[in-house]
Amino acid sequence: MSGQNNKGTAVVTGASSGIGAIYADRLAGQGYDLVLVARRADRLEELAEKLRYAYSRKVSVISADLADDNDVRRVEQAIATDDSVTLLVNNAGLGGAPVVATADADLAERMIKVNVVALTRLTRAVLPRLIARNRGAIVNIASVLAFDTSFGGIYSGTKAYVVNFTEALQREVAGTDVKVQVVLPGATRTDFWELAGSDIDKLPQEIVMDADDLVDAALVGLARGEAVTVPGLADVAKLDAFLGARQGFFGSLHASKPAARYAA
């Protein structure tokens, strides 16, 4: 029953399909009750019923469009006042046209609202209580394209924000028992690609990961306390070298005078 082995409540956005639905299944199996958030109420209810039956967990749903300001605030209010929330998985995300000059401005704004604004506001909604209780975790789903613009500057820019935002959160919770993880998927087989107007089958299949494998790896990373989880990266030393080089580069950016090459 839901009172046994209860780890609290996990909030999962973008939960009606793909990565979010798999997170919901795995977390219910680990002993979490769930709050599932997505636009498609019928698919949320169908998933919720399956999880209740399979795991005897309490599962509630919030049908919301995270590109809509009022809907975001409604979700914020619900999770900010729920003392049982111990985990937030910011998974909801939108892709779109890679070319800025021909992008639909309204669709671009929707992407930014979901990928950046909603993620930020929902994190802000739960973080104070997690810190006060010294317990829980926030998982932000970014993308390897945070470090590459081949899928377009708007999408890549939103995911770069998620990485930087999450790194700052990690500093903020340092010294507490609150975990903050950023997950960087590569090409993952979900309906995200079709919704973004792309065909994942055109990619080399040796670089395409199944969503189940991605989520399982990310959860292992979370359990191990990883700050940055890249499921497709075989050599973690490369991540350490990249992060170290970036920090060293940042340290060289400050001076009291412009560099000599800018002298008139």
Side-chain angles (χ1 to χ4, degrees):
M1 298 301 292
S2 62
Q4 299 172 340
N5 190 33
N6 195 312
K7 294 186 175 183
T9 298
V11 179
V12 183
T13 68
S16 61
S17 64
I19 291 171
I22 296 167
Y23 259 109
D25 176 84
R26 300 299 194 266
L27 293 171
Q30 289 185 7
Y32 287 91
D33 292 332
L34 298 171
V35 175
L36 307 180
V37 182
R39 286 184 302 152
R40 293 172 284 190
D42 55 338
R43 295 185 67 167
L44 279 180
E45 290 289 356
E46 181 181 353
L47 175 61
E49 189 57 34
K50 285 182 180 179
L51 297 177
R52 293 180 192 119
Y53 178 79
Y55 300 108
S56 298
R57 309 310 309 177
K58 177 182 176 183
V59 184
S60 60
V61 303
I62 303 176
S63 176
D65 180 354
L66 295 183
D68 180 273
D69 293 344
N70 291 329
D71 277 10
V72 171
R73 283 158 176 75
R74 181 162 52 84
V75 178
E76 270 185 281
Q77 179 66 20
I79 65 177
T81 56
D82 186 344
D83 285 331
S84 72
V85 172
T86 55
L87 174 62
L88 169 64
V89 180
N90 278 309
N91 165 72
L94 297 178
V99 181
V100 174
T102 57
D104 182 293
D106 291 335
L107 292 180
E109 182 180 4
R110 282 183 59 83
M111 188 193 308
I112 294 166
K113 283 186 172 182
V114 173
N115 297 6
V116 173
V117 177
L119 177 143
T120 304
R121 294 190 68 101
L122 297 186
T123 298
R124 171 61 184 81
V126 303
L127 185 61
R129 287 177 182 263
L130 298 185
I131 293 174
R133 293 195 300 268
N134 198 32
R135 178 191 179 201
I138 294 171
V139 176
N140 290 331
I141 308 300
S143 168
V144 297
L145 292 176
F147 306 123
D148 183 88
T149 57
S150 60
F151 201 67
I154 302 171
Y155 179 78
S156 175
T158 65
K159 293 306 182 178
Y161 173 88
V162 174
V163 171
N164 286 354
F165 175 72
T166 308
E167 287 185 353
L169 287 178
Q170 289 159 358
R171 291 187 177 90
E172 189 170 339
V173 302
T176 75
D177 288 334
V178 178
K179 297 180 180 179
V180 179
Q181 177 197 36
V182 63
V183 180
L184 283 78
T188 307
R189 189 171 295 283
T190 70
D191 62 358
F192 171 88
W193 292 80
E194 181 180 353
L195 294 172
S198 300
D199 184 357
I200 196 171
D201 290 328
K202 291 182 178 179
L203 296 177
Q205 292 308 291
E206 62 269 20
I207 70 166
V208 177
M209 187 176 294
D210 286 339
D212 292 84
D213 291 338
L214 170 79
V215 173
D216 289 339
L219 286 170
V220 169
L222 179 64
R224 291 176 177 173
E226 286 187 351
V228 182
T229 296
V230 192
L233 179 65
D235 184 359
V236 72
K238 291 184 177 179
L239 175 63
D240 294 336
F242 170 75
L243 296 175
R246 189 185 61 170
Q247 191 61 35
F249 173 69
F250 175 76
S252 69
L253 299 180
H254 310 279
S256 61
K257 298 289 185 182
R261 66 181 179 279
Y262 296 116

